[in-house]
């Protein structure tokens, strides 16, 4: 397997949506194509809201990472949410490479902090993140759907 990682483009929409559906199934989330297109499309068009990094082996997509931009008074500037990271074949270092790519790009943009959230039972993902220097926060994220 020869993995290359690049910025996803509008031409990757179908491939990314297929993996988003797989991600939802793996995490037990409902997949809605319309919501997924509304979420993915602008990230492929430009970097106004964030971006998607695509890992691929030749023309076969193997994973992706999504970051969205934020701003924080607490850290004094730009922060990002690592919104999703998904790898089809785990254990091959693809997730780590995606994380490294995200971090390099964030450093170049002077991002001050990367946030992420994991599902409580997803210990495997947290072990990956810990190996890459991420630590569990004491914060509790809360949310409210507005639609």
């Amino acid at each position: 397997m020869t993995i290359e990682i690049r910025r996803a483009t509008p031409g990757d929409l179908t491939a990314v949506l297929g993996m988003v559906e797989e991600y939802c199934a793996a995490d037990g989330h409902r997949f809605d194509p319309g919501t997924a297109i509304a979420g993915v499309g602008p990230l492929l068009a430009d970097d106004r809201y964030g971006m998607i990094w695509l890992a691929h082996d030749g023309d076969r997509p193997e994973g992706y990472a999504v970051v969205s931009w934020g701003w924080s008074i607490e850290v004094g500037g730009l922060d990002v949410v690592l919104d999703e990271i998904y790898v089809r074949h785990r254990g091959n270092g693809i997730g780590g490479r995606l994380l490294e790519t995200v971090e390099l790009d964030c450093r170049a943009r002077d991002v001050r902090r990367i946030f992420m959230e994991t599902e409580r039972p997803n210990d495997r993902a947290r072990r990956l993140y810990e190996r890459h220097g991420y630590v569990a926060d004491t914060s509790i994220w809360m949310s409210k759907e507005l639609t």
Side-chain angles (χ1 to χ4, degrees):
M1 191 178 289
T2 304
I3 297 297
E4 294 196 26
I5 298 176
R6 63 172 172 78
R7 168 93 187 265
T9 65
D12 296 311
L13 179 64
T14 301
V16 172
L17 288 175
M19 288 189 293
V20 169
E21 185 171 12
E22 293 171 20
Y23 169 84
C24 288
D27 260 11
H29 299 291
R30 183 177 152 278
F31 176 76
D32 175 66
T35 300
I37 290 169
V40 168
L43 296 173
L44 297 177
D46 59 43
D47 66 354
R48 181 181 330 164
Y49 303 110
M51 58 196 308
I52 299 175
W53 291 98
L54 183 65
H56 56 95
D57 181 11
D59 28 336
R60 176 163 168 74
E62 291 293 335
Y64 67 92
V66 178
V67 294
S68 56
W69 314 133
W71 192 263
S72 171
I73 294 171
E74 181 181 338
V75 300
L78 188 61
D79 65 7
V80 303
V81 173
L82 179 56
D83 186 47
E84 290 183 10
I85 185 166
Y86 174 73
V87 175
R88 283 185 161 148
H89 301 99
R90 296 178 182 169
N92 293 318
I94 299 169
R97 292 210 30 225
L98 282 165
L99 280 174
E100 291 165 4
T101 300
V102 165
E103 289 176 22
L104 281 171
D105 184 67
C106 286
R107 288 179 197 284
R109 295 172 187 271
D110 199 28
V111 169
R112 304 288 181 113
R113 178 173 44 197
I114 299 173
F115 279 109
M116 68 178 67
E117 133 188 62
T118 62
E119 301 295 332
R120 287 192 198 280
N122 199 344
D123 292 325
R124 184 176 186 173
R126 278 190 297 285
R127 285 192 303 273
L128 168 68
Y129 302 141
E130 287 168 355
R131 284 194 307 272
H132 286 268
Y134 292 81
V135 296
D137 252 346
T138 58
S139 301
I140 296 174
W141 284 34
M142 298 173 67
S143 65
K144 179 179 181 178
E145 299 296 323
L146 298 179
T147 56

